[in-house]
Amino acid sequence: MILEAPKVSIFKRTRMIEPRFRFRAVALLSVILVVGSSLKAESAIGVNWGTLSFHKLKPSTVVDLLKVNKIPKVKLFEADPDVLEALMASGIQVMVGIPNEMLATLSSSTVASDLWVRQNVSRYVVKGGVDIRYVAVGNEPFLSSYSGQYESYVMPALLNLQQSLAKVNLASYIKLVVPCNADAYESSIPSQGAFRPELNEIITQLVSFLNSNGSPFVVNIYPFLSLYGNSDFPQEYAFFEGTTHAVTDGPNVYYNAFDGNFDTLVAALSKLGYGQMPIIIGEVGWPTDGAIGANLTAARVFNQGLINHVVSNKGTPLRPGLPPMDIYLFSLLDEGAKSILPGTFERHWGIFSFDGQAKYPLNLGMGNRLLKNARNVQYLPSRWCVANPSTDFSAVTNHMKLACSVADCTTLNYGGSCNGIGAKGNISYAFNSYYQLQMQNSQSCDFDGLGMVTFLDPSVGDCRFLVGVTDVSSSSSRPVHRWVIPWGLIMWGFWVFVM
């Protein structure tokens, strides 16, 4: 997930999608019936499985978590071999992602695309293997903040990859898609939805390609970001429980931001002649920590409302009775190693915490009444690193900066679950986060005598002091610091203030 500064319009959101499907009028009814039955038959609630975590569970543990919760589809941001191996014979349908940074190479060389497909697709799509259904080529490559740096690579990469899939007889089974950010289109009301003028040519090429190959359009929709970035955004409009700020658009009335956003895309696609193109929601969700409005209650209300809305098959005003093909919740697990440049809530989108424990009751509509926790998770010993109460903390600032530049301290941010635990609580939280990241190495709790190990859980209310896990994947030993924004530098003023 990549964030863009939110726009004022309640219909334009950071992540969106594009157009397709032109039919003769005489065939329109049959086409609608076919598309409608397809959407209703295949619509499912999947999840995004990101792996930018300091404390990675074994992929096999995560796959078991998916299965025990009857989650039928998962979206990956890269072709991690450990993850793909764990998904073999699971019966879970998979969307494999290709990072934007790889698009240039894949667009310029069929040798490179052939190699990528062999290494990451065809070797797994075998009897008893991984059920890969989609390859996501890039992730929001048309984001306006990228200033077009990836745009020229998208179509050549798609064409090369399609050719590579054909060489291994998978082109008709595995569909190529391009997840788009909602800032790809603009409008004041849904019916006026249109793609950004500078994207018209590339989007037209893209949806023509998708249409020719039977692929859906993938869009990421985030009502939370609209609320987070715009103080004038009506809060209840972000949810699904009714609003006093309903938006009237001709004969249609919109009671929530999701429907308004979705139909803005439908209208934009229609303007290009692809109004019937199937749409998948690649990312949608609500964070639980790290910012005002990011909390457990709001996340539960939003996600449950979204799921109920989708499985009801009610659809939207422009597509009545036709919900999205699939929806992938963002996300499965918290990712404590993600960049916090967009906001400190970025590490807290999971419906499960980093260790696979459900954060709140949620019915996914899969037959389970509540989420079930990950099984057989192996934790480090129950001990924590806290501030030594008998020492002088006048020199603690640099130690806290160090700890939080490496570990995750985002719950201490304003609006976070640990924001109100006091100065010494802040110190203890920072020390413990670093201590657990270092697998409870005794020296990592020294901090020049300012830290001490305790066997009493220092958690306070909703502020949870974590204990690390030991059943980590082999890939989790790979460096993760390259993804981390220097939190200590960002929070310099905060630490000085609390001290």
Side-chain angles (χ1 to χ4, degrees):
M1 164 187 161
I2 304 166
L3 306 189
E4 166 76 352
K7 308 299 187 293
V8 174
S9 170
I10 58 178
F11 301 111
K12 183 179 177 184
R13 194 39 294 172
T14 52
R15 319 228 171 169
M16 253 89 218
I17 219 171
E18 297 94 80
R20 179 115 51 105
F21 281 73
R22 188 183 317 240
F23 296 102
R24 298 175 64 91
V26 294
L28 183 58
L29 179 59
S30 61
V31 168
I32 291 175
L33 291 175
V34 170
V35 172
S37 62
S38 173
L39 291 176
K40 289 181 180 179
E42 298 181 11
S43 183
I45 307 297
V47 294
N48 286 268
W49 176 2
T51 57
L52 299 183
S53 177
F54 293 127
H55 305 276
K56 289 185 185 177
L57 295 176
K58 287 180 181 177
S60 58
T61 301
V62 179
V63 171
D64 182 68
L65 177 65
L66 294 169
K67 293 171 70 174
V68 75
N69 284 285
K70 301 181 181 179
I71 297 174
K73 303 190 179 192
V74 67
K75 178 169 166 279
L76 310 175
F77 292 94
E78 60 182 338
D80 186 318
D82 293 337
V83 169
L84 290 171
E85 289 286 345
L87 283 164
M88 294 187 72
S90 67
I92 297 169
Q93 294 181 12
V94 179
M95 180 185 296
V96 177
I98 298 176
N100 290 332
E101 291 73 21
M102 295 183 63
L103 295 181
T105 299
L106 294 172
S107 70
S108 63
S109 168
T110 55
V111 173
S113 64
D114 288 347
L115 178 61
W116 190 91
V117 167
R118 285 199 306 272
Q119 290 182 336
N120 303 295
V121 178
S122 58
R123 68 178 292 188
Y124 297 105
V125 183
V126 295
K127 185 177 180 180
V130 184
D131 188 5
I132 297 175
R133 297 296 183 93
Y134 299 100
V135 172
V137 182
N139 184 36
E140 302 180 342
F142 307 126
L143 198 65
S144 59
S145 60
Y146 289 150
S147 301
Q149 73 178 98
Y150 300 115
E151 288 178 18
S152 64
Y153 305 134
V154 173
M155 288 310 302
L158 282 170
L159 294 171
N160 284 347
L161 288 164
Q162 185 70 16
Q163 186 180 60
S164 298
L165 287 173
K167 291 178 182 177
V168 292
N169 298 316
L170 291 174
S172 61
Y173 183 75
I174 297 175
K175 304 301 181 182
L176 300 177
V177 295
V178 179
C180 289
N181 186 291
D183 83 337
Y185 54 78
E186 305 169 319
S187 74
S188 57
I189 55 176
S191 62
Q192 296 180 6
F195 292 100
R196 298 199 322 257
E198 69 272 22
L199 292 179
N200 267 336
E201 182 178 355
I202 181 66
I203 293 296
T204 301
Q205 293 173 357
L206 172 61
V207 297
S208 176
F209 171 88
L210 296 175
N211 184 48
S212 298
N213 293 285
S215 298
F217 205 99
V218 178
V219 61
N220 301 339
I221 296 179
Y222 283 97
F224 169 78
L225 299 182
S226 296
L227 183 63
Y228 176 78
N230 181 4
S231 59
D232 295 327
F233 191 90
Q235 179 170 333
E236 67 270 23
Y237 190 69
F239 297 90
F240 297 86
E241 299 186 322
T243 178
T244 58
H245 295 82
V247 175
T248 299
D249 181 8
N252 299 321
V253 181
Y254 291 87
Y255 297 96
N256 64 79
F258 179 86
D259 284 356
N261 197 331
F262 186 89
D263 274 3
T264 305
L265 171 60
V266 172
L269 291 170
S270 297
K271 285 182 172 61
L272 296 184
Y274 298 95
Q276 297 301 320
M277 167 164 268
I279 295 173
I280 283 178
I281 308 302
E283 298 177 25
V284 62
W286 200 279
T288 59
D289 213 330
I292 294 294
N295 56 69
L296 295 172
T297 299
R300 180 189 61 79
V301 170
F302 177 83
N303 282 330
Q304 193 63 71
L306 170 72
I307 292 167
N308 294 345
H309 184 59
V310 171
V311 300
S312 72
N313 288 330
K314 181 180 179 181
T316 62
L318 293 186
R319 286 193 176 179
L322 298 178
M325 282 182 64
D326 297 311
I327 285 187
Y328 292 85
L329 295 178
F330 192 87
S331 62
L332 179 64
L333 302 165
D334 281 349
E335 296 179 83
K338 288 188 67 180
S339 166
I340 59 171
L341 187 60
T344 48
F345 53 82
E346 267 300 283
R347 298 177 176 177
H348 304 281
W349 290 92
I351 57 175
F352 294 92
S353 54
F354 76 95
D355 54 353
Q357 305 305 296
K359 294 183 182 179
Y360 48 82
L362 188 66
N363 186 339
L364 295 175
M366 311 295 181
N368 290 342
R369 298 183 66 87
L370 298 176
L371 294 177
K372 297 183 179 179
N373 294 334
R375 300 185 290 193
N376 302 316
V377 177
Q378 301 299 310
Y379 292 90
L380 295 169
S382 295
R383 57 189 180 214
W384 299 262
C385 178
V386 297
N388 188 334
S390 63
T391 57
D392 176 10
F393 292 102
S394 59
V396 76
T397 302
N398 286 336
H399 292 292
M400 293 183 69
K401 286 171 57 182
L402 170 63
C404 290
S405 69
V406 177
D408 177 29
C409 298
T410 52
T411 61
L412 297 176
N413 193 60
Y414 180 65
S417 62
C418 298
N419 178 248
I421 61 175
K424 287 189 177 179
N426 291 337
I427 297 168
S428 294
Y429 189 92
F431 283 5
N432 184 65
S433 296
Y434 182 82
Y435 174 66
Q436 302 297 336
L437 182 60
Q438 302 302 320
M439 304 299 286
Q440 298 185 356
N441 181 295
S442 59
Q443 294 181 342
S444 67
C445 187
D446 181 52
F447 297 103
D448 289 340
L450 298 178
M452 59 174 283
V453 174
T454 180
F455 296 93
L456 297 177
D457 187 350
S459 299
V460 180
D462 292 333
C463 178
R464 176 190 177 194
F465 279 58
L466 65 84
V467 172
V469 295
T470 60
D471 59 335
V472 294
S473 67
S474 59
S475 63
S476 65
S477 61
R478 292 178 287 186
V480 295
H481 301 335
R482 64 183 182 273
W483 290 299
V484 181
I485 301 296
W487 172 252
L489 298 179
I490 294 174
M491 293 299 288
W492 170 271
F494 173 75
W495 299 130
V496 172
F497 174 78
V498 298
M499 294 305 297

